[in-house]
Amino acid sequence: VIPAQDEVELLAVLLAAAHAAVYGYGVLGARLDEPARRTARSAVDAHRARRDALSARLRERGADPAPGLAAYDVAVADRPQALALAVRLEEGMAVRWRDLVGGTDDQALRRQALSGLQDAAVRAATWRRLAGAGPAVALPGTA
Amino acid sequence: VTPTRLPRPRRPPARGRPGRPRRRPPEAAAARELALLARYDAVLAARPGLSARLRPLRGHHAEHLAALRDPSASPSPTGAAPSPSAAPPTVPLPADDAAALAALTAAERETGQAHGRDCLAASRPLAAVLGSLSASELSHAVALA
């Protein structure tokens, strides 16, 4: 069996994106009213859970999961910007999850990546709908 | 080892109904996309008022078919729509807009789950395509709700 170094790299990229998503949702959630704020809270919970699972997958492979940064360069002035950022975060996560779907033969890892891709695309569609934006791209994760 | 034109699953699919010929994943997925296109066409014909809402989603399925035919190709921006040649599954005519949307939502979910199952057993390039298709159908269910 070839050591799956590429898996480790893909996992590390995903972990960094998940840290950023958790931070980003914290910022954008503050600019939303209910019930959108509740949707943001449930999204941040989901990203936290996936972030922790990604850290675990990295440790299983002998890699050290990197912590998140102290701060990220995000500015959200109002509701439209908050919704736009949420769409961007989810569509960005979809790209990275898709990379892992097509970058591993490990069944458990692919299952996890597929689920991450599906959830990100569904949340992106939810945010697009709230933003009154058009439907998502035809192939989530390729944007 | 003779190279085949289409990627093969690494192991025989565990599912499959008896009496039904097994299809390789890209073909099975393409058949599902054609069935969805037929459903959209049936609803669009019966409920023209839903056209603005449904056309973009139907266009996605046409792009899905194109992606299945060439997993390495980048998605076409136009998404030329092939007309389904297969007879649609027996689709009861929707009684009203709500019933039509509910039936499409259920069909999208079902197709998204089937793509997801095939994704797990597929070769890497095909898995990426099936993953996107699965995610797209599940997000369509949100757009239709």
Side-chain angles (χ1 to χ4, degrees):
Chain A
V1 177
I2 304 161
Q5 186 54 41
D6 52 344
E7 279 174 11
V8 168
E9 283 162 22
L10 291 167
L11 285 166
V13 169
L14 266 163
L15 177 62
H19 280 307
V22 168
Y23 184 94
Y25 266 107
V27 174
L28 74 89
R31 298 291 180 186
L32 297 173
D33 297 323
E34 300 297 350
R37 185 179 284 197
R38 193 160 55 241
T39 307
R41 272 201 301 274
S42 111
V44 83
D45 287 346
H47 285 293
R48 271 200 202 99
R50 293 208 182 271
R51 176 200 65 190
D52 295 346
L54 287 163
S55 296
R57 297 294 85 74
L58 278 163
R59 277 192 212 98
E60 286 162 11
R61 285 161 175 79
D64 220 5
L69 306 180
Y72 294 79
D73 185 17
V74 281
V76 179
D78 52 21
R79 183 178 187 272
Q81 286 184 13
L83 295 174
L85 176 59
V87 170
R88 231 169 30 246
L89 287 174
E90 297 297 350
E91 291 184 347
M93 288 304 295
V95 170
R96 291 168 183 105
W97 283 116
R98 186 187 194 267
D99 287 345
L100 184 59
V101 169
T104 183
D105 295 317
D106 177 321
Q107 281 293 291
L109 196 56
R110 187 180 286 178
R111 192 181 290 275
Q112 209 165 2
L114 174 64
S115 160
L117 170 56
Q118 290 168 333
D119 285 358
V122 165
R123 278 193 297 266
T126 306
W127 291 122
R128 277 178 173 274
R129 191 149 190 212
L130 283 169
V137 290
L139 295 168
T142 62
Chain B
V1 177
T2 312
T4 50
R5 275 178 53 237
L6 297 171
R8 284 174 179 282
R10 272 188 307 284
R11 55 174 190 222
R15 280 162 294 271
R17 289 169 210 170
R20 195 181 254 209
R22 288 225 170 103
R23 285 171 163 145
R24 281 182 266 171
E27 292 158 3
R32 290 193 290 266
E33 292 294 335
L34 283 170
L36 267 183
L37 281 167
R39 270 184 183 277
Y40 270 86
D41 288 341
V43 171
L44 283 163
R47 320 286 322 165
L50 292 173
S51 177
R53 200 143 164 222
L54 298 186
R55 285 271 164 216
L57 303 179
R58 188 202 183 279
H60 286 178
H61 294 297
E63 290 190 51
H64 293 173
L65 259 186
L68 283 167
R69 283 171 182 158
D70 183 5
S72 65
S74 47
S76 91
T78 53
S83 55
S85 53
T90 319
V91 184
L93 274 184
D96 53 31
D97 285 0
L101 293 173
L104 280 176
T105 303
E108 291 274 13
R109 283 223 174 85
E110 201 178 304
T111 306
Q113 282 153 11
H115 286 331
R117 284 192 296 272
D118 282 356
C119 167
L120 296 177
S123 66
R124 289 182 178 200
L126 181 61
V129 172
L130 289 174
S132 279
L133 267 52
S134 173
S136 174
E137 324 308 37
L138 296 179
S139 64
H140 282 180
V142 171
L144 289 165

